[in-house]
């Protein structure tokens, strides 16, 4: 790759990463996001995956190459894992910046890639060995509090997940009243569409109930 193109790719990565970095940590700062042509609609976000999704293009087309490469990586983390996008952004930025300097000094890129993959395996094994599972309602609530920063919601999440277990299906819906409510249903669920519309018993809600 031409040195100028490498620098522009690096510049785009840094632009996107520097927007997302403030959201990292147990008490993150928020990032203001506004849409073009609508200054009255400004979102205050602290979720790195959503921030990356909102940035659809950077004005400089060469910088945009690096930014979109990082954006795609972060959205995959968001979709497949659900959390850790800010951490991924910081690691992504560091690897690209250090890798750029090493390659510029004459390091073989293929050897560098092999060493990064080896280091990744070691890091993953170490993290797995240090990880501990959440046991009990209060432990789940304490973990939830670090994510939602709301004690009432954290306690509710602790109750819900201690009842449903790891395999239970939890769905969050917007309520019509003040406060937090929950409902529990016994049964099974599956992700997918109807094989035939004739299976739908309630046309209005597009649901099928079987007693």
């Amino acid at each position: 790759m031409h040195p100028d193109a490498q620098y522009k790719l690096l510049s785009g990565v840094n632009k996107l990463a520097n927007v997302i970095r403030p959201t990292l940590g147990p008490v993150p700062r928020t990032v203001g996001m506004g849409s073009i042509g609508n200054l009255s609609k400004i979102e205050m976000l602290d979720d790195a995956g959503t921030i990356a999704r909102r940035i659809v293009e950077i004005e400089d087309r060469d910088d945009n190459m690096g930014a979109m490469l990082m954006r795609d990586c972060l959205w995959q983390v968001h979709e497949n894992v659900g959390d850790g996008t800010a951490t991924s952004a910081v690691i992504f930025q560091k690897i690209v910046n250090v890798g750029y300097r090493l390659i510029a000094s004459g390091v073989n890129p293929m050897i560098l890639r092999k060493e990064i993959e080896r280091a990744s395996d070691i890091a993953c094994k170490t993290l797995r060995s240090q990880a501990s599972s959440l046991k009990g309602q209060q432990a789940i609530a304490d973990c939830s509090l670090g994510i939602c920063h709301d004690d009432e919601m954290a306690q509710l999440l602790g109750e819900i997940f201690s009842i449903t277990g790891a395999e239970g299906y939890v769905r969050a819906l917007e309520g019509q009243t003040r406060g937090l409510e929950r409902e529990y249903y016994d049964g099974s669920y599956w992700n997918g569409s109807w094989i035939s519309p004739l299976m739908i018993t309630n046309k209005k809600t597009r649901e099928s109930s079987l007693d």
Side-chain angles (χ1 to χ4, degrees), residues 155-175:
Q155 292 298 327
L156 181 61
L157 291 172
E159 174 195 312
I160 290 171
F161 285 105
S162 65
I163 292 174
T164 62
E167 302 301 324
Y169 178 65
V170 178
R171 185 171 61 163
L173 300 173
E174 184 177 354

Side-chain angles (χ1 to χ4, degrees), residues 17-97:
N18 290 336
V19 173
I20 292 172
R21 285 175 68 95
T23 66
L24 180 63
V27 186
R29 291 169 289 176
T30 55
V31 174
M33 305 290 294
S35 58
I36 297 175
N38 187 4
L39 299 179
S40 62
K41 185 180 180 182
I42 298 178
E43 295 179 289
M44 303 304 294
L45 304 171
D46 63 358
D47 174 42
T50 305
I51 294 170
R53 192 67 169 175
R54 293 288 191 273
I55 301 174
V56 295
E57 189 177 17
I58 290 180
E59 187 175 2
D60 188 304
R61 58 183 295 181
D62 295 321
D63 286 357
N64 190 58
M65 172 181 60
M68 293 302 102
L69 179 65
M70 182 184 220
R71 177 180 181 266
D72 181 66
C73 172
L74 297 181
W75 189 248
Q76 288 186 45
V77 172
H78 181 77
E79 287 283 282
N80 297 326
V81 182
D83 196 14
T85 43
T87 304
S88 300
V90 172
I91 294 174
F92 191 111
Q93 183 184 27
K94 192 67 175 180
I95 289 175
V96 171
N97 278 270

